[in-house]
Coordinates of all heavy atoms in Angstrom, one line a residue:
A388 N -0.2 9.2 -28.2 CA 1.3 9.3 -28.2 C 1.8 8.5 -29.4 O 1.1 7.7 -30.0 CB 1.9 8.8 -26.9
E389 N 3.0 8.7 -29.7 CA 3.6 8.2 -31.0 C 3.5 6.7 -30.9 O 3.9 6.0 -29.9 CB 5.1 8.6 -31.0 CG 5.8 8.0 -32.3 CD 7.2 8.3 -32.3 OE1 7.8 8.7 -31.2 OE2 7.9 8.1 -33.3
P390 N 3.0 6.0 -31.9 CA 2.9 4.5 -32.0 C 4.3 3.9 -32.1 O 5.2 4.4 -32.6 CB 2.0 4.3 -33.2 CG 2.2 5.4 -34.0 CD 2.5 6.6 -33.2
V391 N 4.3 2.7 -31.6 CA 5.6 2.0 -31.7 C 5.9 1.8 -33.2 O 7.1 1.6 -33.5 CB 5.5 0.6 -31.0 CG1 5.5 0.8 -29.5 CG2 4.3 -0.1 -31.4
D392 N 4.9 1.6 -34.0 CA 5.3 1.3 -35.4 C 5.8 2.5 -36.1 O 6.4 2.4 -37.3 CB 4.0 0.8 -36.1 CG 3.5 -0.5 -35.7 OD1 4.3 -1.2 -34.9 OD2 2.4 -0.9 -36.0
A393 N 5.8 3.6 -35.5 CA 6.4 4.8 -36.2 C 7.9 4.8 -36.2 O 8.6 5.4 -37.0 CB 5.9 6.0 -35.5
R394 N 8.5 3.9 -35.4 CA 9.9 3.8 -35.4 C 10.3 2.7 -36.4 O 9.7 1.7 -36.5 CB 10.4 3.3 -34.0 CG 11.4 4.3 -33.3 CD 11.9 3.9 -32.0 NE 11.6 2.6 -31.5 CZ 10.8 2.3 -30.6 NH1 10.1 3.2 -30.0 NH2 10.5 1.0 -30.2
P395 N 11.4 3.0 -37.1 CA 11.9 1.9 -38.0 C 12.3 0.6 -37.3 O 12.7 0.7 -36.2 CB 13.1 2.5 -38.7 CG 13.0 4.0 -38.4 CD 12.2 4.2 -37.2
A396 N 12.0 -0.4 -38.0 CA 12.3 -1.7 -37.4 C 13.8 -1.8 -37.0 O 14.7 -1.4 -37.8 CB 11.9 -2.9 -38.3
G397 N 14.0 -2.2 -35.8 CA 15.4 -2.4 -35.4 C 16.0 -1.1 -34.9 O 17.2 -1.1 -34.5
A398 N 15.3 0.0 -34.9 CA 15.9 1.3 -34.5 C 16.0 1.3 -33.0 O 15.2 0.7 -32.3 CB 15.0 2.4 -34.9
P399 N 17.1 1.9 -32.5 CA 17.3 1.8 -31.0 C 16.2 2.7 -30.3 O 15.7 3.7 -30.9 CB 18.7 2.4 -30.8 CG 18.9 3.2 -32.0 CD 18.2 2.5 -33.1
A400 N 15.9 2.3 -29.1 CA 15.0 3.1 -28.4 C 15.5 4.4 -28.0 O 16.7 4.6 -27.8 CB 14.5 2.4 -27.1
P401 N 14.8 5.5 -28.0 CA 15.2 6.8 -27.7 C 15.8 6.8 -26.2 O 15.2 6.2 -25.3 CB 14.0 7.7 -27.8 CG 12.8 6.8 -27.6 CD 13.3 5.5 -28.2
Q402 N 16.9 7.5 -26.0 CA 17.5 7.7 -24.7 C 16.7 8.6 -23.8 O 16.3 9.6 -24.3 CB 18.9 8.0 -24.9 CG 19.8 7.0 -25.7 CD 19.8 5.7 -25.0 OE1 20.0 5.6 -23.8 NE2 19.7 4.6 -25.8
E403 N 16.7 8.3 -22.6 CA 16.1 9.2 -21.6 C 17.1 9.6 -20.6 O 18.1 8.9 -20.4 CB 15.0 8.4 -20.9 CG 13.8 8.0 -21.7 CD 12.9 9.2 -22.1 OE1 13.1 10.3 -21.4 OE2 12.2 9.2 -23.1
P404 N 16.9 10.7 -20.0 CA 17.9 11.2 -19.0 C 17.9 10.3 -17.8 O 16.9 9.7 -17.4 CB 17.4 12.6 -18.6 CG 15.9 12.6 -19.1 CD 15.9 11.7 -20.2
A405 N 19.1 10.1 -17.2 CA 19.2 9.3 -16.1 C 18.6 9.9 -14.8 O 18.4 11.1 -14.8 CB 20.7 9.0 -15.8
A406 N 18.3 9.1 -13.9 CA 17.8 9.5 -12.6 C 18.7 9.3 -11.5 O 19.7 8.6 -11.6 CB 16.4 8.8 -12.4
A407 N 18.3 9.8 -10.4 CA 19.1 9.6 -9.1 C 19.1 8.1 -8.9 O 18.1 7.3 -9.2 CB 18.4 10.3 -8.0
P408 N 20.1 7.6 -8.3 CA 20.2 6.2 -8.0 C 19.2 5.7 -7.0 O 18.7 6.4 -6.2 CB 21.6 6.0 -7.4 CG 22.0 7.3 -6.9 CD 21.3 8.3 -7.9
V409 N 18.8 4.4 -7.2 CA 17.8 3.9 -6.3 C 18.5 3.4 -4.9 O 19.6 3.0 -5.0 CB 17.1 2.6 -7.0 CG1 16.1 2.0 -6.0 CG2 16.5 3.1 -8.3
A410 N 17.8 3.6 -3.9 CA 18.3 3.2 -2.6 C 18.5 1.7 -2.6 O 17.6 0.9 -3.1 CB 17.4 3.6 -1.5
A411 N 19.6 1.2 -2.1 CA 19.9 -0.2 -2.1 C 19.6 -0.8 -0.8 O 19.6 -0.1 0.2 CB 21.3 -0.4 -2.5
G412 N 19.4 -2.1 -0.8 CA 19.1 -2.8 0.4 C 17.7 -2.6 1.0 O 17.0 -1.7 0.7

Side-chain angles (χ1 to χ4, degrees):
E389 180 186 13
V391 285
D392 291 350
R394 237 181 13 249
Q402 298 298 318
E403 293 287 342
V409 180

